[in-house]
Amino acid sequence: PNRIRAGGVPFAMRASAALRSLALASLAVAASAGCKPAYTCDPGSSVCHARYSCEFQAPCLPGATCTQSFDIGDGVDATSGLPFNYSTASGSVTGGSLGGRSFCGPAGCDDNALALTFQSQDLSIKWVSASCESRETPEQCRLATKTPIPTSPPLTKITAQQTCLNKVTPCTYYKAEAVVDFEAAVAWPEPPSPPPTASPPPSPP
């Protein structure tokens, strides 16, 4: 029988409720923190890339889908140190890749799948990528689906969705990895002006 503490509530039930509350709090913190990307831009162009490598901190139950927000916006090119403005023009998200690294322990490796959901600022438009499954080895898949990426309105919100495909045990320490290609206005320096053309010599009288 369960031990009864003051108030008549079984100790095991109170402990279980506390653990459940802690797990929910962990999920809330992970969801609100957001995953910060490293930005790089192709030299001299408007094409930039947001690279994500973020671990899902809270366990994900078998068959469940756990989410984490991926931040994207204005930033600094890691190579040149130059700032850029994330383009909110239609069609700014152009492609990329997604995948992940599942945790492996003595009992084997977790089975996970990752998908990315892109949404407009007002949440009126949503595009969900095809999922990319990883188990024994890390996987990377092209960011695509049969439905093309919407070109209007701009997509400014990204949510990473981890689906735990395990049958019995929760998935833990799953690391999501993705690259999102997008258009941006980069503060590249203006090219130097050409030297002035030398004046022709005066004509003889």
Side-chain angles (χ1 to χ4, degrees):
N2 292 321
R3 290 179 55 194
I4 306 296
R5 295 178 65 90
V9 180
F11 175 76
M13 291 177 61
R14 293 180 62 186
S16 176
L19 287 173
R20 191 158 50 246
S21 298
L22 182 60
L24 290 173
S26 298
L27 282 169
V29 170
S32 63
C35 178
K36 308 296 183 183
Y39 291 117
T40 57
C41 299
D42 295 349
S45 80
S46 61
V47 178
C48 294
H49 318 275
R51 300 177 186 275
Y52 304 89
S53 182
C54 304
E55 190 174 280
F56 281 73
Q57 299 293 332
C60 195
L61 298 178
T65 296
C66 301
T67 62
Q68 184 175 172
S69 63
F70 275 24
D71 291 344
I72 193 165
D74 297 348
V76 175
D77 173 27
T79 303
S80 67
L82 295 174
F84 67 82
N85 290 329
Y86 175 75
S87 176
T88 55
S90 298
S92 293
V93 175
T94 59
S97 64
L98 77 163
R101 182 188 300 271
S102 293
F103 174 75
C104 293
C109 298
D110 290 336
D111 191 359
N112 289 283
L114 180 72
L116 297 183
T117 295
F118 293 78
Q119 291 176 282
S120 57
Q121 189 66 32
D122 62 1
L123 306 182
S124 64
I125 297 296
K126 179 172 72 172
W127 182 80
V128 183
S129 74
S131 62
C132 187
E133 185 176 352
S134 61
R135 192 168 185 178
E136 286 86 1
T137 58
E139 295 291 341
Q140 281 290 310
C141 307
R142 190 166 63 92
L143 184 64
T145 185
K146 293 181 179 179
T147 304
I149 299 175
T151 57
S152 181
L155 304 176
T156 57
K157 293 179 176 292
I158 306 176
T159 303
Q161 297 166 293
Q162 170 205 7
T163 300
C164 179
L165 303 177
N166 288 357
K167 300 299 183 184
V168 179
T169 58
C171 296
T172 56
Y173 305 115
Y174 175 65
K175 179 176 284 187
E177 298 179 342
V179 177
V180 176
D181 303 329
F182 61 93
E183 296 285 336
V186 188
W188 300 115
E190 293 292 331
S193 302
T197 304
S199 300
S203 300

